[in-house]
Amino acid sequence: MSLLKLSGVEVGYGRNTIVDNVTFSLKEGEIGCLLGPSGCGKTTLLRAIAGFEPVSAGRIELAGQLVSSPAQQLPPEKRGVGMVFQDFALFPHLTVFENVAFGIRHQPTDEQRKRVNQLLSHVGLAGYGPRYPHQLSGGQQQRIALARALAPKPRLLLLDEPFSSLDAELRESLATEVRKLLKEEGITALLVTHDQQEAFALADRAGVMYHGRLLQWDTPYGLYHQPSHHLVADFIGVGVLMHGQITDDLKVQTALGLLVGDDVPRGAEGEAVDVLIRPDDIVIDDSAERRARIVARGFRGSHFLYTAELGDGSHVLCMASSHHEYAVGQDVGLRLNLDHLVLFPAGYCDT
C-alpha cells in the first residue's frame, strides 16, 4: 500500500502554475527524492505535501486518507508529517535534549528521556544532551534537527535540501547515515535536493522535475541508465547526445561506428535518432582501431574525464585512471563498452 500518493497535483499562484500535474507514490518505508534545478517547483511540492500550500488541482493522500484537494485541506499539524529544513531551525535557547524532546514534550518525562537518548545514540551524539546548538558543528546540528523531527515518529518525513550548507564530503557521508537511520526507524521519507549524489546515496525512488513537471519517477539506477526524457539524461550524470540513424538490421550508425543493442524499436528502420553516450560507455584503449584526439581533460582525483574529438568533429566524453595520463592533443584509441542504447528522436533534444 502507498503511504504517500499524489494524483495530478497542481499548485499555482494566480495565473502562474508552479507544480504542474504531478503524479507519483511512495510505499511505506521507502525513501524518495525530488531532483531538479532551482525554481523547478520541488520545494513548493514538498510544502503542499506538508500542508503549507493549497493545491489547485489533484489529490494528495497519506495512508489512504485524503489530506489535500481543491475542496479539502487538512491542517499541517494533523497530518503526522515531520520536516527537516535547510537551515536546521534549532532553538538556540534550548539544550540538545530539549530540542529533540520538543515535539514530544507532552509525553511522560521517562518516555521523553528514553526516546531522546535512543535517538541521540542513533545519530552518534550520545551524551550531547546538555549542550547547546552553538556548541555543535554544522554536521552535528543537522543530526540533532533530524533527531528532533523523528522524535514524534511521524508517518512521513520531509527533508528540504537538508545538507546544502555542509561541505561536499560531509554531505555524502551524512546522507548515507541518514538513510541507515530512516531504515532503522522504518520511516517513509521524501527529500528535495539538486544534488544527484545525495539522491543516489539516500533514495529508493527518485524523480526529476523541470518547469513544475515531473519528467520521470524511477529508481536512481533507472534515471541514470534508462532516462525517458532528454532533460533527465542531461541532469543525471554527464554525457553527450550523438546523432545516428537506425539501419535495416536495427542497429544504429553513428560517428562511433555501428552500435548494437536490444533497445532499438522494431519498425524504426531508417529513422534519425540521438544516442546518449556516457563516459563509462567508452574505454580508452591504445590498441583499439577507432581513433580520436584528446581536446580537453579534467582531473577528478581517481580518474581524468577526457573530451575526445572524433573524425567528423563530434565530441564524446571518456574516463581513464589518473595513473595513466593522456595529454591534450594526443591521439588515442577508443573501445565501446555499451551494454544498452538510450535513444531519443532526432532533434527532440533541441526543442
Side-chain angles (χ1 to χ4, degrees):
M1 177 183 174
S2 297
L3 185 128
L4 173 65
K5 183 177 180 181
L6 280 73
S7 305
V9 170
E10 295 185 7
V11 181
Y13 306 112
R15 296 184 177 180
N16 296 322
T17 299
I18 309 300
V19 175
D20 187 3
N21 193 28
V22 169
T23 296
F24 70 89
S25 62
L26 274 178
K27 295 178 182 177
E28 188 169 356
E30 277 191 324
I31 302 172
C33 180
L34 294 171
L35 280 157
S38 297
C40 70
K42 56 188 187 294
T43 293
T44 299
L45 183 56
L46 201 74
R47 289 175 57 81
I49 294 169
F52 299 131
E53 301 286 351
V55 303
S56 53
R59 299 165 58 90
I60 300 176
E61 299 175 40
L62 281 171
Q65 177 189 10
L66 178 64
V67 296
S68 284
S69 74
Q72 181 174 335
Q73 177 83 358
L74 192 69
E77 65 274 12
K78 295 186 177 180
R79 298 192 179 202
V81 172
M83 199 153 185
V84 178
F85 298 95
Q86 182 176 341
D87 61 357
F88 312 149
L90 296 177
F91 301 115
H93 62 290
L94 299 182
T95 65
V96 164
F97 183 96
E98 291 166 338
N99 264 282
V100 177
F102 187 81
I104 55 173
R105 59 192 183 281
H106 300 304
Q107 293 183 7
T109 303
D110 288 347
E111 291 182 16
Q112 288 185 46
R113 184 178 297 108
K114 181 179 179 181
R115 179 64 173 157
V116 171
N117 288 337
Q118 176 193 42
L119 286 169
L120 289 179
S121 178
H122 273 328
V123 299
L125 294 174
Y128 278 65
R131 300 192 187 188
Y132 285 87
H134 72 271
Q135 297 175 305
L136 307 178
S137 68
Q140 290 170 335
Q141 288 184 38
Q142 185 59 57
R143 289 181 174 90
I144 296 305
L146 178 64
R148 183 180 63 183
L150 289 175
K153 298 184 179 180
R155 54 183 176 179
L156 176 67
L157 181 65
L158 305 176
L159 302 102
D160 186 11
E161 303 247 18
F163 313 123
S164 62
S165 62
L166 306 177
D167 63 73
E169 184 176 350
L170 183 56
R171 280 203 306 267
E172 190 165 349
S173 63
L174 191 52
T176 303
E177 293 173 15
V178 168
R179 175 179 170 83
K180 181 174 181 289
L181 177 58
L182 292 173
K183 291 298 183 181
E184 288 175 351
E185 289 278 319
I187 299 292
T188 308
L190 182 64
L191 168 80
V192 156
T193 183
H194 61 272
D195 187 329
Q196 59 185 276
Q197 296 308 317
E198 285 179 20
F200 290 169
L202 262 167
D204 301 306
R205 308 282 294 178
V208 175
M209 291 187 68
Y210 189 77
H211 284 178
R213 298 186 67 87
L214 183 64
L215 301 180
Q216 184 175 354
W217 182 253
D218 207 330
T219 62
Y221 181 93
L223 290 180
Y224 184 86
H225 288 288
Q226 297 162 335
S228 62
H229 195 287
H230 72 279
L231 289 170
V232 175
D234 184 59
F235 192 82
I236 301 295
V238 294
V240 299
L241 289 159
M242 175 170 289
H243 294 300
Q245 187 168 31
I246 299 177
T247 64
D248 291 340
D249 54 354
L250 295 180
K251 298 175 183 177
V252 183
Q253 184 66 56
T254 71
L256 279 170
L258 205 57
L259 307 183
V260 180
D262 297 329
D263 311 87
V264 182
R266 293 192 176 277
E269 294 88 338
E271 288 188 12
V273 294
D274 289 325
V275 188
L276 175 64
I277 306 294
R278 300 282 197 193
D280 45 318
D281 292 330
I282 299 177
V283 177
I284 297 181
D285 184 344
D286 296 330
S287 64
E289 293 183 7
R290 186 180 291 106
R291 311 305 293 181
R293 183 172 60 91
I294 300 297
V295 295
R297 66 178 184 177
F299 184 59
R300 299 292 188 270
S302 63
H303 65 276
F304 280 99
L305 179 65
Y306 293 99
T307 302
E309 185 175 84
L310 304 175
D312 70 340
S314 60
H315 291 170
V316 292
L317 300 174
C318 47
M319 295 184 296
S321 168
S322 58
H323 295 297
H324 195 168
E325 183 178 355
Y326 297 92
V328 172
Q330 184 173 347
D331 183 72
V332 297
L334 301 182
R335 175 167 51 85
L336 294 182
N337 189 37
L338 279 161
D339 60 1
H340 68 282
L341 300 179
V342 177
L343 307 177
F344 299 102
Y348 173 70
C349 307
D350 299 324
T351 60

